[in-house]
Amino acid sequence: MTHPATDSKMVKSIGASGQISLGKEFAGRQVLIESPAKGVWIIRTATITPDHEPWPEKEKVQPGLKKGRTGKAPSPDQRSRKTSQA
């Protein structure tokens, strides 16, 4: 789910239980909340990868990531260059 970049400001009230509603469009999403100073919050939507799922550093995931970035798998000579440099 992607949202267009907007430069909007809004006033929200924090409820008695400490909750704030960001709107139905963000329902069920995970967010990263940073507090660079007292009373300042930066809230960003985030995609969190659980510990039991593969991370990009894993060898078997790397070829899929490269294919996804370029639209094609690495050529045999690209793979051999990487292994000879290691």
Side-chain angles (χ1 to χ4, degrees):
M1 177 187 328
T2 58
H3 299 281
T6 58
D7 189 17
S8 64
K9 296 179 182 179
M10 60 184 88
V11 176
K12 297 285 185 168
S13 295
I14 300 173
S17 63
Q19 295 180 334
I20 183 171
S21 174
L22 299 176
K24 288 185 179 186
E25 66 188 278
F26 298 106
R29 293 288 315 264
Q30 293 179 319
V31 295
L32 175 64
I33 303 171
E34 299 174 55
S35 182
K38 186 175 181 174
V40 177
W41 299 320
I42 300 171
I43 303 172
R44 299 179 184 158
T45 55
T47 302
I48 309 299
T49 305
D51 288 339
H52 68 279
E53 292 184 10
W55 287 85
E57 296 84 28
K58 302 289 184 194
E59 279 296 316
K60 61 184 176 183
V61 178
Q62 285 292 333
L65 289 175
K66 289 177 185 167
K67 182 178 180 182
R69 273 185 270 172
T70 63
K72 59 184 179 182
S75 65
D77 65 340
Q78 288 173 324
R79 286 193 294 266
S80 65
R81 268 188 263 147
K82 286 200 179 263
T83 55
S84 65
Q85 292 173 354

